[in-house]
Amino acid sequence: MTRDWDFNIEERDAEFRDDLREASGVGRRRRKKGRQAGPTLSQQVRSLIGDGNQAYVDSDLPEAIRIMQEVIRIEPRAASAWSVLAQCYADMGEHQKALQLRIMAAHLRHDADEWDRLARQSREHGYNQQALYCYRKVYSLDPTNVDALWDRASLAKETGDLKTARNAFLAILKRFPHDLTVLGELRPILIELSDLSICANLFQQAFNHYQRIYPSGRGMDAASNLEIVGGGFGLMEILVLADLFNTLGEHERAIDVIRRGCRWLQGRAEQVYWDACDDDREYDLPETGPRPGAGEDGSVEPGGFSLDINARHRLAVARIKLGEIEEGKLHANAVLSQDVLDYAPLFGEIADAYFEKELYAEAHPIYELLGADAATSSLYVLLQTAACLRMLNELKEAAEVYEHVRIADPSHNEAKMKLAEIYEILNEPRRALELVYEVIDSRKKRPKENSNQPEENTNASTSLFEEKATAKTKAALRAQGRLTHAQLRELEAQKEKEVMKGYRRVQDLWSGMLAGDEEAEREWMVEAEKLVETFRETRNLFLTSRGNPFRGMFPRTRVQKRHNDEEDEDRMASRLHLDMGHDTLAKKPAKGEDKAVDVFRGVSFSDWLRVFMQYCFILTRKGQYELADEILRHILVSNAYQARERQDCIRIALITCAIATQQPTVVVEQARKLITVHQFNNEPPRILMAALSSGLRPTDAFITSTLQKHLFREMKLADTAVKNPEVLRWNPLNKRYAPTAQAKTGDPGEAADDDDDADPSSTTTATEKDIKMSEIPTKHNPTLVAIYGQICIAAKSYQSAIFYLLHAYDYCPDDPMICLSLAIASIGRAMQRQSDNRHHLVVQAMAFLTQYRKLRESDLQGMAEVEYNFGRAFHQLGLYSHAVNHYERVLKLAEKATGEETTFAPEAAYNLSLIFVLTGATPLAEALYRRWLSI
């Protein structure tokens, strides 16, 4: 009662007087909250509206329409006139026009329910864009109307307007977070729009939400009042989230989702200790047996918990793509043990994962299994099978598979070109040329696209929106914002002036920068950075078909410009003619073809390269090696630098930067490319040996298995070139000699373990004029054999080292390095427990050291080196008295040295001090420290 009587008499009296003024029309009017119903109508307009209403009541529709149109002409904001006019057209049967008029009236009333009715009517008439607009107005007036949002999203999805559907579903998701029905509708839309990261985040948030509210992995369904797994977020949603992470390349997150999700659904969410295991022993199968080391030193034993085959498949794919091959194989084998007819898609995805990681030996049997049954086979499977066979050097089998594809689909030009490439490698140019001609003929017979097709008529001609964009409209939209050819030329001329100005400034500052002037270096780097970015941003310098040299920013084009694939076909046909002896046809240039240009914006490519290299050297010196490496690798794929000498120059620059920052893996990578390109040449291996310094990381890079296998293949190929040169054939694709398929006797899986040495930027894309056939060697080369033996020494495989080094000694007995390496390998083998002829090996080592002494002691530096190595050998054998004599001779020679030659005095003094300390002669060791090992 106190609240009911608690009011102010004065306030109530003021409100009463305002109400009187409002009723009488005198005095101040009170403003109503919200939108006004419409403008204040004049007496004339109100009279006309009354006449129009009377005409409508009298069924005089033409007169009512005339009067209402006059009202709208005078006052367009009169909503009642629009409504009456719409009703008149509806009574006359013109419902489309009536709908248009009602939409115009709805803009004046701002009623959400009316917009909803108009949206449904527009949808019934097929005006989808108009309906979407009406639903948008509903949402803007009433954000709580989720039904209108759902209708808008569903309609947009039906009409293919995926962006609108995405926005509508996301708006619903804001009001109902983590709703699985909305997520299920939204997922295919986001995938189609390539918004995978958004989709993954939404499902991840939902996963975390359901884990939080249902920690036991069980929840009640509100509709059926039954217990359901995960409260609705079940295994299917977990698999969807794992697939999204795998597609995004976030394989570790995919593994985490599968492991934690399946554990949660099994009611074991509290067993978080499984997350400490790097592997998936939690879900090991009983038949796989115990893992090595499981249960030892406190490690967790395998759990043996069940795992759905689909979830195991996601784990297999993630592990394989992550590079954890052995762990991935455990899951993959479990999936592959299932019936292929039931799980064919899973088999295919595992095979694709192996193929992506270049594990062709593992992918091939899976593709073969899929291709063996008509229910699971497809052209894609056959093409992948053929690709695996080709990568495994089983060229004849690959050719047979491509022939099957060709028979199954005679119009499959890609398979024909692949088959032609194989025939070319197999030295069957006629069969390859027939296939290329078939592809060219099918291309010429291909019907031209008719751009003058009549536009489709739609029944939505009276819609307020353009329901379907025509081809002309789309072309006009694409053309918006494009510069004309004259404008492009003017812009290019302006950029050329800027480049020339910047390059002149770089030249002026070059000498000061090299002299160490900090100000000059800073300004030089600023100008050089502008030039580098200008070059790298030019798309004409980085074309997809790198076989085409740079022809200028505005090359002359033919009337009918051919596609890159067509150019490749013609180029291959010309190359095959050349192999068959038709030189004149192959060398005939195409009409209207432009010549290559060696200048870009007034600066030659040689000068550009000089700027790039100096810029990257300074970046490396300033600690920005990653950026320098990226720039050099980027210009390595430019069309301007596909000539062999330029490729070599860039690779040597990459090696230089890697040496400065102690990146031995990059040194080995680039040196291998040089060895591959320059076949039967000793300089690239020498570059490799010179670039790798001593130390732990360089040694690890030197003995890596990929380098060993690469050098072993090169060594076998060089041996074949000397012994059986007739079995070698020049491969025009890789620009290298290779043995024919009949002559290959090595392990077929050997090359599959290694990465591909044929770099597309240096071997398969260089111009034909730039590539010359290498000369086949006529005598054995000790270089590669000696290097391979030294790799075996570094890997402590001394017996293999002796075998290969003895071959090198047979080829060149007068090389002191080979003799020294043989002595090192012999002593190393003698010190191993497996050795059964220690004394023989020691005597052999001394014999090679004696031969090494004869070949090396020609000068002071050579004598010091010989004495040090003798001392080192005796030191390793434990003959300290002999070692001391040789070390002291090194120190005496160092006393006599007068130049900058290496005397090995610090090394000898250090080793000698170790002997002195070991034998108790500490004062002698201290004297050595003060004389030779102090700064």
Side-chain angles (χ1 to χ4, degrees), residues 99 102-103 105-107 109-125 127-128 130-155:
L99 179 59
R102 288 195 177 98
I103 289 175
H107 283 89
R109 291 196 177 94
H110 309 291
D111 185 0
D113 294 336
E114 184 177 2
W115 278 111
D116 191 52
R117 287 193 299 272
L118 293 173
R120 289 196 297 270
Q121 292 176 15
S122 299
R123 197 168 180 177
E124 291 172 0
H125 286 87
Y127 303 157
N128 296 324
Q130 185 169 286
L132 290 174
Y133 176 78
C134 294
Y135 282 129
R136 182 162 65 86
K137 296 294 289 185
V138 174
Y139 180 66
S140 64
L141 293 171
D142 184 10
T144 62
N145 194 336
V146 180
D147 292 337
L149 263 181
W150 184 271
D151 292 339
R152 183 170 186 247
S154 303
L155 178 59

Side-chain angles (χ1 to χ4, degrees), residues 446-460:
R446 193 181 304 153
K448 297 181 180 180
E449 297 180 1
N450 186 10
S451 59
N452 297 322
Q453 293 178 352
E455 299 176 6
E456 297 181 5
N457 294 324
T458 62
N459 59 347

Side-chain angles (χ1 to χ4, degrees), residues 37 127 205 276 384 427 486 510-511 589 820 850 868 873 913:
Y127 303 157
Q205 293 168 8
Q384 291 294 96
N427 198 25
W510 205 302
S511 57
L820 179 61
T850 304
Y868 173 80
S913 69

